[in-house]
Amino acid sequence: MTADSSSASALMSPAPADPIPEQQPLWPDPEALARVVERLSALPRLTTETESGLLRAELAAAGRGEGLVLHGGDCAERFEDSDPATVLRKTAQLRALADRMRDGSGAPRATAVGRIAGQYAKPRSEEYEITPDGVRLHSYRGDAVNAHEPDPALRVPDPARLLTAHDRAARVLRTVRETWRGIPPGDRVFVSHELLLLPYERALLNGRVGPDGPAGPGGLPAPGGLPVPDGSAEPDGRHAGSTHFGWIGERTRRLDGAHVAFAASLSNPVGVKLGPGAEPAEAAALVRRLNPRAEEGRLTLVVRMGADRIGDRLPALARAVIATGVPVVWLCDPMHGNTLRAPGGTKTRAVPSVRAEVTAFVRVLRSLGAHPAGLSLELTPDPVTECVDARSASAGPDLFPDYRSLCDPRLNPAQANAVVGSFLAAL
């Protein structure tokens, strides 16, 4: 192995004493992965610390009760959706929903953060799946890992797809930044994804990025020397150059795990998902670990408990977090805890349950004197039929005439507006 490939391996792998990352693909060729990581580490970073600092200032305001946050987008972003027209439809939907939240609540601002420009990987419950005709395949883990087509060869995790992920994220960000021209930070759409594939994330730490944005062969247009508010970034922290905001999922939030350790080292604002299994003491420990300096805008807690459990589980958890004295931004993810299977096995979500969880989230936090700062939704600007408008999915095979998601079901525009309406009504 060369000196350069040894350096790449250091980025790719934890040190001997570090925890082994969870939910990583079974890459068949570690040497091929090391070569890809080496190439990634030489590429321009996708985002700047300046940009992440601006988002962090907006999140800080939301955490203080001076604004709201709309976080949303696809469950699993597709490489093919990186064209400008598709990106503009997504950012327009996010901005319109955020504007509705601002205007409907009387809040001075509402920040939009997309699950976009990097949401190319997904954790999975099972490493393999069996097709209806009995073929055993690797589970689809997102376009950054393998293809969705049920072909055994295409489902083998391919590290070269990480390079495509960087290229497509760069393309998406070029369009996103075009929408920023002439508007203040609070009216922009920022980007985010789950911090899941740690070889990719480690390769894009810091690196070739200047005060005016990424540069290099085929690099991105500069964002224009935007000022960084005081206290919006830790000068001794590492910046994740893959995104503005990254979160740790429900499956990877173990306190002593690799993903929490990685997120704790970053200057970016970060989030963590908390499901019904999260214990109050665990949540308090995560808050202290991820925001040890108790800085505003640093940490977002995304609650995803389900309509039938949030009323029982959230009060004690929220009290434990509040007792730490650490400021956090509270968001409600009413999607993941309300997933069900329709007859025939189609994965869906009942919009009434989604809306009920939103209402309970606001009620619980308000009763404890905390600010319900916003929503984290899986949604699309397309008129899909993936979520159902009844509490059960028993209307027969014609229930999903336009089901497009490759992973979890998303709200269509009318359904997303209805969920935002429930949030505003509860406020």
Side-chain angles (χ1 to χ4, degrees):
M1 182 179 289
T2 66
D4 285 345
S5 61
S6 296
S7 176
S9 294
L11 285 170
M12 179 186 71
S13 304
D18 290 343
I20 302 298
E22 298 175 285
Q23 286 289 334
Q24 301 303 288
L26 295 179
W27 304 108
D29 185 349
E31 289 296 324
L33 178 59
R35 290 191 295 271
V36 166
V37 168
E38 182 181 348
R39 291 177 62 185
L40 278 171
S41 66
L43 292 175
R45 299 328 185 225
L46 296 166
T47 63
T48 73
E49 194 164 9
T50 296
E51 294 169 348
S52 294
L54 291 168
L55 173 58
R56 186 164 171 170
E58 295 298 317
L59 293 171
R64 293 192 299 268
E66 299 168 6
L68 296 171
V69 178
L70 187 281
H71 178 240
D74 293 310
C75 169
E77 192 179 3
R78 298 301 311 275
F79 285 165
E80 66 191 39
D81 290 337
S82 59
D83 63 283
T86 299
V87 174
L88 288 174
R89 288 192 303 110
K90 291 180 178 182
T91 57
Q93 181 190 30
L94 292 168
R95 192 59 257 169
L97 289 170
D99 288 347
R100 185 183 174 203
M101 290 171 67
R102 179 195 63 208
D103 297 342
S105 66
R109 69 225 298 165
T111 303
V113 184
R115 296 170 57 108
I116 195 170
Q119 183 56 17
Y120 298 127
K122 294 293 297 180
R124 300 310 299 262
S125 300
E126 301 292 339
E127 185 61 42
Y128 295 94
E129 63 182 68
I130 306 297
T131 66
D133 53 358
V135 178
R136 184 172 182 257
L137 305 169
H138 284 273
S139 295
Y140 174 62
R141 285 184 171 270
D143 279 8
V145 176
N146 54 8
H148 183 264
E149 290 75 13
D151 181 317
L154 296 178
R155 284 290 185 90
V156 175
D158 179 4
R161 297 179 76 93
L162 297 175
L163 295 168
T164 307
H166 180 281
D167 178 79
R168 298 301 186 271
R171 187 184 186 199
V172 171
L173 269 162
R174 278 192 285 271
T175 302
V176 169
R177 288 196 178 98
E178 285 296 321
T179 70
W180 292 358
R181 294 185 184 276
I183 63 173
D187 291 336
R188 296 171 183 166
V189 175
F190 293 90
V191 305
S192 72
H193 64 255
E194 182 175 355
L195 301 172
L196 183 62
L197 300 178
L198 292 191
Y200 178 84
E201 301 299 340
R202 289 173 177 143
L204 294 177
L205 283 169
N206 298 324
R208 287 192 295 137
V209 67
D212 292 327
L220 310 175
L226 305 172
V228 183
D230 290 341
S232 63
E234 297 172 7
D236 56 345
R238 303 185 299 172
H239 179 258
S242 65
T243 191
H244 297 134
F245 172 90
W247 74 88
I248 307 162
E250 172 77 357
R251 293 180 175 95
T252 55
R253 60 167 168 77
R254 200 177 75 245
L255 184 63
D256 60 353
H259 291 83
V260 169
F262 179 78
S265 75
L266 301 177
S267 64
N268 307 61
V270 297
V272 61
K273 294 284 189 91
L274 296 173
E279 295 296 334
E282 177 190 7
L286 281 167
V287 164
R288 294 188 184 98
R289 177 81 169 94
L290 292 168
N291 193 7
R293 301 180 187 177
E295 295 176 292
E296 293 182 341
R298 157 67 181 169
L299 179 60
T300 297
L301 299 183
V302 186
V303 177
R304 41 153 295 177
M305 296 189 170
D308 59 343
R309 288 168 288 185
I310 188 168
D312 293 330
R313 300 294 298 168
L314 181 56
L317 184 146
R319 288 190 193 98
V321 169
I322 292 167
T324 67
V326 176
V328 300
V329 181
W330 291 97
L331 297 187
C332 176
D333 167 3
M335 308 295 293
H336 287 87
N338 295 300
T339 304
L340 55 94
R341 294 279 181 178
T346 301
K347 187 186 289 188
T348 189
R349 286 155 175 163
V351 175
S353 297
V354 170
R355 297 175 71 176
E357 181 164 359
V358 168
T359 300
F361 168 80
V362 174
R363 183 183 68 248
V364 169
L365 289 183
R366 279 281 179 84
S367 72
L368 298 174
H371 177 55
L375 300 171
S376 179
L377 305 176
E378 290 183 342
L379 50 76
T380 174
D382 299 323
V384 300
T385 52
E386 297 170 1
C387 296
V388 294
D389 293 314
R391 287 194 179 274
S392 63
S394 56
D398 297 329
L399 194 61
F400 308 104
D402 193 1
Y403 198 107
R404 307 182 198 178
S405 176
L406 302 185
C407 196
D408 289 343
R410 302 160 297 173
L411 302 168
N412 63 33
Q415 292 167 337
N417 268 298
V419 173
V420 168
S422 291
F423 178 75
L424 292 173
L427 286 178

